[in-house]
Amino acid sequence: MRRSLAAGSVALLIAAAFVAGVTDCSAGGDTETEATDAKVGGSTASPAPPGRYHTLLKPCRSVERGTLKDLLPGALTLPEDQQQEVLRGTASPTFDTSRRAACSWMSQVPDASQLLRVDFERVVSYDPVVSDESKAQEVFTKKKSAATGSLGGAPSTSGATGLEPRVVNDLGDAAYIDDVLARARSTAQRRTVSVVFRVSNVIVTIDYTEQPARVTKVPDSKELQEKAQSLARKLAELFDE
């Protein structure tokens, strides 16, 4: 009897140990799986939203004829056929017009020459966790820093306070203006005013240049800045439509 009880007790202990082992292994497996799932889940982020714009406007058609005539007054003195050719503009060749598109207009007359260039750039982020708009802001900030530094104490080439390179308010999501006067001893002075602004994931750059024929004449900074900013606001409205 004692031997039978002992054998039965041993069998029960072995069975209990087996069950406990299975339970421990099962618990360990579940814990490992949960840890793996938590790691994978923790490293997975929702993709950043795409930019607002998927295409670009056609720059040669984006500037009204009346605005072009105001920016390029010399064109009005040309014969009709030459005037129309100037106002049509010249598209810049680009690899993908849905990503980059530009157009330029030039008027050359005996008294002065004017050059207008409009450039549209649609920024796309290839990082799934960085939105197109955030990437566009990064590109915009680099352009601003390269052109005018911090915009705090940038020297004015216009000679007038308030016309120095600066941030422009109420234009797109972010904007700045730059004013550069190219001085030369034997040639006429050339002024280029640049207005750059961002709307969502698109960066618009306007370069407006004037060079008088006379060496002693300096292009008026205020006038060029006002005209360039006026055009910039009109283009910003087009993107909002």
Side-chain angles (χ1 to χ4, degrees):
M1 176 68 73
R2 289 180 179 176
R3 187 174 299 176
S4 300
L5 290 173
S9 298
V10 171
L12 288 173
L13 289 172
I14 293 174
F18 177 77
V19 171
V22 171
T23 303
D24 289 342
C25 290
S26 299
D30 290 342
T31 302
E32 183 178 355
T33 301
E34 289 172 3
T36 302
D37 290 343
K39 183 177 181 181
V40 173
S43 64
T44 302
S46 300
R52 176 181 177 184
Y53 302 102
H54 304 284
T55 58
L56 289 173
L57 300 174
K58 296 184 182 299
C60 287
R61 299 180 184 178
S62 63
V63 185
E64 298 177 348
R65 286 296 179 95
T67 301
L68 287 172
K69 290 179 180 179
D70 182 51
L71 292 167
L72 309 170
L76 303 180
T77 65
L78 299 173
E80 183 65 23
D81 58 337
Q82 296 181 31
Q83 181 181 145
Q84 294 305 316
E85 182 178 356
V86 168
L87 298 179
R88 275 194 296 271
T90 303
S92 301
T94 57
F95 179 75
D96 184 355
T97 55
S98 70
R99 290 289 303 277
R100 194 74 179 263
C103 187
S104 59
W105 298 262
M106 176 178 284
S107 171
Q108 290 182 309
V109 293
D111 293 339
S113 62
Q114 292 99 17
L115 172 65
L116 172 67
R117 188 175 189 276
V118 173
D119 180 282
F120 299 149
E121 178 183 2
R122 184 173 65 89
V123 180
V124 176
S125 171
Y126 294 100
D127 188 335
V129 298
V130 178
S131 68
D132 293 343
E133 185 168 348
S134 296
K135 184 64 177 179
Q137 179 60 32
E138 179 185 335
V139 173
F140 171 85
T141 300
K142 289 181 179 179
K143 286 178 176 288
K144 182 179 69 172
S145 299
T148 56
S150 63
L151 294 173
S156 173
T157 58
S158 65
T161 303
L163 297 176
E164 63 276 355
R166 62 197 182 278
V167 170
V168 177
N169 298 319
D170 303 322
L171 176 58
D173 297 313
Y176 70 88
I177 187 169
D178 195 15
D179 188 325
V180 177
L181 181 65
R183 298 179 180 274
R185 294 181 179 179
S186 59
T187 60
Q189 300 184 76
R190 180 179 69 254
R191 182 182 296 281
T192 299
V193 171
S194 300
V195 178
V196 183
F197 67 92
R198 178 182 68 81
V199 282
S200 186
N201 60 316
V202 171
I203 296 175
V204 178
T205 302
I206 298 169
D207 293 320
Y208 182 38
T209 302
E210 181 174 288
Q211 180 173 321
R214 288 185 296 171
V215 177
T216 56
K217 187 174 181 179
V218 179
D220 186 79
S221 181
K222 183 179 180 180
E223 180 182 5
L224 267 64
Q225 288 194 23
E226 288 178 349
K227 288 184 176 182
Q229 288 188 79
S230 177
L231 172 59
R233 296 188 187 283
K234 291 177 180 178
L235 293 177
E237 291 176 359
L238 291 179
F239 278 95
D240 288 336
E241 292 180 353

